[in-house]
């Protein structure tokens, strides 16, 4: 069974975790979508920049050969040679160059791979199976265009993605163009993607930290609220129980007084009348015997009423205090049971509240009743004393004892109410625990088979006045 505290904390944290998980899922999905859109937009902008760059390079190259190309005729081999030499010398960036092909696929200019010059590359395919030269010539015939393909990068010697741009030199039927390598685009996009992922990861880390801190705060506040509510409930329960106990004591005191002052006095009056009748010389012997029997019965009734009255509420407890009441009770118990009781009280200088005195008196009653019923003891030692700021009572018998799972200590009525099995399976010991719990005391029970039982009771003296509500003190004065 889960405790109320755990349920309150759970009901507080579970919604937080659910909302956090939902937010994290939405953040992850939206971040992924935004990342893809951002990368696509960046790539589109980069490619647009590359296309503009290629067009600009082609325009600059054409401007370089215009003075030779435009005045030349279609068969001017000298002009063609001059243009080829000029294109071989043109460079841009680190790996930028220009190339030219006939419309049949014969290479005319390739400054990076001169071995290709004069070769027919019409049927040349790149590693992806694209007929590269055919595609470039088709783009040039269409009025100029772009083409993506794989080509060896001069600076690295590795085949890399390349964007080519070609135009036609219509007079000579040449395909003339250039290209830029796109590996830097992939590198740049990979960096941006890594940065975006790092931002997402940092967001999740902060979300986790905030959730953890919030969970801890909620748990702390929930526990504090629950503890406060439990303390308030425990206080109210203690006050209510103490009022019930005090009401019981007051009722016992009233009944005891009525028995003593009412019925007992009537019986005593009847006893005196019977004694007078038995002393009359004119009374027949048969009547005298009956009177003596009645007198004996009345004496027993008076004794029984006095015992009941004392058990309900000994007047000596109210008149002379705890020590005198314990002395009288122990003497009566010793006389009735034949069990030797040694009582030592060292509390003459203490002015104890009525509630505390009543509690210790009732505890002594419970303990000695347990000894009489279960312990099979012949000696009981009771010591009541002040130790520092504690009122301590020790009750030890030399009886049979019993087996305990563990030593039982209870400071709070809340724990006793929640786990009453910790006190004892016996009603007597449980009553002791309950009574001491109401005045914030502590009970230790130590027992072993064949070695008797020791009950130690400790009540803090500086807490005694605090544990008794004013209303209760007024009732018990």
């Amino acid at each position: 069974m889960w405790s109320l505290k755990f349920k309150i904390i759970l009901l507080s944290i579970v919604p937080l975790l659910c909302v956090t998980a939902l937010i994290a899922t939405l953040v992850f999905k939206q971040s992924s979508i935004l990342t893809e859109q951002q990368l696509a937009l960046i790539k589109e902008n980069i490619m647009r920049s590359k296309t503009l760059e290629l067009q600009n390079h082609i325009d600059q190259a054409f401007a370089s050969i215009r003075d030779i190309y435009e005045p030349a005729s279609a068969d001017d081999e000298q002009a063609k040679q001059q243009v080829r030499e000029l294109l071989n010398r043109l460079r841009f960036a680190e790996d930028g160059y220009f190339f030219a092909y006939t419309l049949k696929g014969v290479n005319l200019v390739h400054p990076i791979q001169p071995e290709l010059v004069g070769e027919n590359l019409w049927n040349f395919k790149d590693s992806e199976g694209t007929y590269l030269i055919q595609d470039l010539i088709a783009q040039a015939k269409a009025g100029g265009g772009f083409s993506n393909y794989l080509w060896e990068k001069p600076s690295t010697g590795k085949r890399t993605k390349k964007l080519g741009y070609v135009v036609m030199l219509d007079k000579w039927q040449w395909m003339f163009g250039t290209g830029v390598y796109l590996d830097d685009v992939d590198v740049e996009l990979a960096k941006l993607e890594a940065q975006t992922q790092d931002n997402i990861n940092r967001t999740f880390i902060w979300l986790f930290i905030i959730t953890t801190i919030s969970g801890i705060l909620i748990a702390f506040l929930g526990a504090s609220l629950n503890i406060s509510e439990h303390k308030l409930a425990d206080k109210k329960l203690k006050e209510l129980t103490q009022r019930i106990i005090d009401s019981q004591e007051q009722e016992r005191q009233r009944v005891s007084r009525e028995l003593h002052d009412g019925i007992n006095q009537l019986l005593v009056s009847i006893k005196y009348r019977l004694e007078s009748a038995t002393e009359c010389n004119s009374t027949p012997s048969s009547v005298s015997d009956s009177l003596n029997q009645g007198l004996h019965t009345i004496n027993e009734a008076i004794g029984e009423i006095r015992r009941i009255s004392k058990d309900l509420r000994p007047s000596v407890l109210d008149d002379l205090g705890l020590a005198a009441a314990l002395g009288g009770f122990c003497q009566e118990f010793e006389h009735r049971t034949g069990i030797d009781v040694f009582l030592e009280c060292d509390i003459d200088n203490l002015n104890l509240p009525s509630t505390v005195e009543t509690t210790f008196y009732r505890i002594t009653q419970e303990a000695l009743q347990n000894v009489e019923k279960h312990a099979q003891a012949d000696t009981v030692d009771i010591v009541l004393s002040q130790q520092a700021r504690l009122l301590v009572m020790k009750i030890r018998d030399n009886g049979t004892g019993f087996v305990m799972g563990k030593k039982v200590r209870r400071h709070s009525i809340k724990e006793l109410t929640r786990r009453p099995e910790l006190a004892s399976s016996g009603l007597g010991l449980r009553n002791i625990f309950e009574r001491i719990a109401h005045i914030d005391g502590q009970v230790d029970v130590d027992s072993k088979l064949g070695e008797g039982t020791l009950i130690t009771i400790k009540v803090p003296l500086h807490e005694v006045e605090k544990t008794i509500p004013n209303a209760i003190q007024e009732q018990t004065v």
Side-chain angles (χ1 to χ4, degrees), residues 149-429:
Y149 56 93
L150 293 174
W151 196 266
E152 184 178 310
K153 187 175 183 179
S155 60
T156 62
K158 297 181 180 179
R159 290 188 178 274
T160 307
K161 289 181 180 180
K162 188 174 184 179
L163 176 65
Y165 178 65
V166 293
V167 295
M168 281 290 294
L169 295 178
D170 295 323
K171 186 188 300 185
W172 292 343
Q173 292 295 290
W174 284 7
M175 179 267 290
F176 158 59
T178 186
V180 290
Y181 293 94
L182 302 178
D183 56 338
D184 59 336
V185 176
D186 294 336
V187 171
E188 188 67 22
L189 291 176
K191 288 182 179 179
L192 291 174
E193 186 176 7
Q195 290 175 358
T196 304
Q197 189 61 45
D198 288 341
N199 292 334
I200 294 174
N201 291 338
R202 281 195 294 270
T203 301
F204 275 106
I205 290 173
W206 278 109
L207 187 61
F208 175 77
I209 292 174
I210 292 172
T211 303
T212 302
I213 294 175
S214 301
I216 293 173
L217 289 176
I218 289 174
F220 176 76
L221 293 175
S224 300
L225 176 64
N226 189 46
I227 290 172
S228 299
E229 293 294 333
H230 268 283
K231 287 182 177 179
L232 182 61
D234 184 38
K235 181 180 178 181
K236 291 182 177 179
L237 177 62
K238 186 188 299 183
E239 292 178 1
L240 177 61
T241 308
Q242 190 62 50
R243 285 191 175 95
I244 293 174
I245 292 175
D246 287 339
S247 297
Q248 290 176 344
E249 291 296 332
Q250 290 177 1
E251 184 64 18
R252 286 181 175 184
Q253 185 177 12
R254 184 187 66 80
V255 174
S256 175
R257 184 168 54 250
E258 289 182 358
L259 285 176
H260 183 272
D261 297 338
I263 298 176
N264 191 57
Q265 295 302 323
L266 291 175
L267 291 176
V268 170
S269 178
I270 295 172
K271 173 187 173 185
Y272 289 155
R273 292 179 180 275
L274 291 177
E275 287 178 348
S276 298
T278 56
E279 293 175 358
C280 182
N281 294 329
S282 62
T283 304
S285 59
S286 59
V287 175
S288 179
D289 292 340
S290 298
L291 291 174
N292 286 328
Q293 291 179 2
L295 184 61
H296 177 72
T297 303
I298 288 177
N299 283 330
E300 290 182 350
I302 292 174
E304 185 66 17
I305 289 176
R306 286 176 178 173
R307 185 189 65 80
I308 294 174
S309 176
K310 185 181 294 184
D311 288 343
L312 285 173
R313 178 74 181 183
S315 58
V316 68
L317 181 62
D318 299 317
D319 298 335
L320 301 179
L322 178 60
L326 288 178
F329 175 73
C330 291
Q331 185 177 7
E332 187 275 332
F333 176 84
E334 186 178 46
H335 176 74
R336 179 170 55 83
T337 63
I339 300 174
D340 294 330
V341 180
F342 298 94
L343 174 65
E344 179 181 345
C345 287
D346 188 15
I347 56 169
D348 294 337
N349 297 326
L350 292 180
N351 185 17
L352 299 176
S354 174
T355 304
V356 176
E357 290 186 334
T358 301
T359 299
F360 274 85
Y361 183 82
R362 296 303 181 193
I363 287 172
T364 305
Q365 281 185 314
E366 294 284 358
L368 291 183
Q369 286 176 8
N370 285 344
V371 171
E372 180 184 0
K373 293 178 181 179
H374 309 294
Q376 300 179 15
D378 56 20
T379 301
V380 180
D381 294 311
I382 302 176
V383 178
L384 179 62
S385 62
Q386 178 185 0
Q387 297 180 9
R389 296 299 298 167
L390 294 174
L391 181 62
V392 181
M393 172 178 274
K394 294 185 178 182
I395 304 174
R396 182 193 299 273
D397 66 69
N398 63 348
T400 57
F402 57 91
V403 177
M404 297 184 62
K406 61 180 179 180
K407 186 174 286 190
V408 181
R409 289 183 172 90
R410 285 275 65 85
H411 298 269
S412 172
I413 188 63
K414 175 182 66 177
E415 288 297 322
L416 184 64
T417 303
R418 187 171 66 86
R419 301 179 64 190
E421 71 278 3
L422 294 178
S424 172
S425 59
L427 183 60
L429 279 179

